[in-house]
Amino acid sequence: MRKLIAGNWKMNGLASSLAEIAVLKGATGMATCEIVVCPPFTLIEKSSQQLKDSNITIGAQDCHPQTSGAYTGDVSAEMLADAGARYVILGHSERRVSHHEADALVASKVVAAHKAGLTAIVCVGETRGERDDGRALHVVGTQLRGSVPAGSSSSNMAIAYEPVWAIGTGLVPTIEQIEEIHSSIRKALEERLGEDGRNVRILYGGSVKAANAAEIFAVANVDGALVGGASLTAADFAGIISAVGQVG
Ligand code: PGA
């Protein structure tokens, strides 16, 4: 399966940051995987113009479940597609926590993304406390069931396993822990989607850097990465992309 490397810029990036995308365009290893950059809403249109005719695509970091209407401050999936986005990250833990997004809301956003022709990157992951209580598998399984709506398939959805305690902390689960969760996600996807569940890409996210990427990419059922901090500079992000080449 071709790996998917997605960069989540979060609330970072001004027009001047588009220079990083220009550098990335020229980086090596691009052909070996699919690359998505998810800048803030304000840069979607400009960055997608800039990446026309390249193999880097643009994604967004959230969308509203409705197509249009009286929702001050929100952006619909249709608007994102219109601005040039092809992907959207949904259910990121930072939104689950600070915007109180529950699984049902995430699922309704995924439906909206699909209607607009976007591929959803659906995030799941346990907190430190949940892992310490031995509930990681259960929490991830519940989030997955609740956040993946009918109509999802390998062509319109990827899953990102992002343990909350690994995001932006420099902490990374052990290879065994990643393998355990990813294989449980694969099993759940196969139960849910049949054969096609095998083709859904399952990304790992949480403190991925060039130095640990190759080891993580070699784990069974790790089909790419969702990268936060290390996606902000082309040099760091390109280091992660070239790690894909090391594992084939
Ligand atoms: P990080 O963030 O790579 O900075 O840990 C990952 C994410 O939140 O998607």
Side-chain angles (χ1 to χ4, degrees):
M1 200 182 312
R2 196 152 170 252
K3 286 195 170 26
L4 169 63
I5 314 294
N8 173 11
W9 282 17
K10 310 192 179 184
M11 198 173 73
N12 297 291
L14 302 172
S16 56
S17 317
L18 297 175
E20 294 301 322
I21 291 182
V23 177
L24 197 60
K25 242 171 118 175
T28 55
M30 292 291 168
T32 55
C33 56
E34 191 177 344
I35 299 150
V36 180
V37 175
C38 303
F41 290 138
T42 47
L43 295 178
I44 286 176
E45 181 137 29
K46 273 191 186 145
S47 55
S48 48
Q49 293 288 343
Q50 192 183 357
L51 290 169
K52 252 189 199 154
D53 310 318
S54 85
N55 62 343
I56 306 173
T57 39
I58 290 296
Q61 302 169 19
D62 183 42
C63 71
H64 193 275
Q66 300 298 326
T67 312
S68 59
Y71 304 102
T72 304
D74 282 313
V75 176
S76 74
E78 191 183 44
M79 292 168 181
L80 298 176
D82 188 48
R86 296 292 167 260
Y87 281 79
V88 59
I89 298 169
L90 294 171
H92 190 282
S93 66
E94 284 152 16
R95 294 205 62 88
R96 288 180 185 267
V97 172
S98 34
H99 296 264
H100 311 290
E101 293 195 6
D103 293 334
L105 176 63
V106 175
S108 67
K109 292 181 174 198
V110 178
V111 170
H114 291 165
K115 253 201 235 162
L118 300 176
T119 297
I121 301 175
V122 181
C123 304
V124 294
E126 81 286 357
T127 62
R128 179 80 254 176
E130 288 163 344
R131 176 159 286 278
D132 291 345
D133 291 347
R135 297 179 55 233
L137 279 171
H138 173 76
V139 168
V140 168
T142 305
Q143 288 178 339
L144 197 65
R145 271 192 301 282
S147 309
V148 172
S152 300
S153 72
S154 62
S155 53
N156 64 18
M157 180 185 68
I159 302 294
Y161 167 56
E162 298 205 306
V164 179
W165 52 274
I167 295 176
T169 57
L171 300 171
V172 178
T174 63
I175 291 305
E176 291 72 25
Q177 287 169 333
I178 296 176
E179 192 163 0
E180 181 186 39
I181 299 277
H182 277 242
S183 75
S184 78
I185 294 174
R186 176 70 66 213
K187 201 162 152 258
L189 289 169
E190 282 173 11
E191 280 166 15
R192 182 77 188 268
L193 307 174
E195 282 262 309
D196 190 43
R198 274 186 223 160
N199 304 320
V200 176
R201 284 175 294 188
I202 308 172
L203 317 182
Y204 168 78
S207 297
V208 176
K209 330 181 204 15
N212 60 21
E215 194 187 9
I216 294 171
F217 291 151
V219 177
N221 291 306
V222 172
D223 310 308
L226 181 55
V227 184
S231 71
L232 292 173
T233 60
D236 290 340
F237 199 43
I240 292 169
I241 292 162
S242 67
V244 175
Q246 293 169 34
V247 289

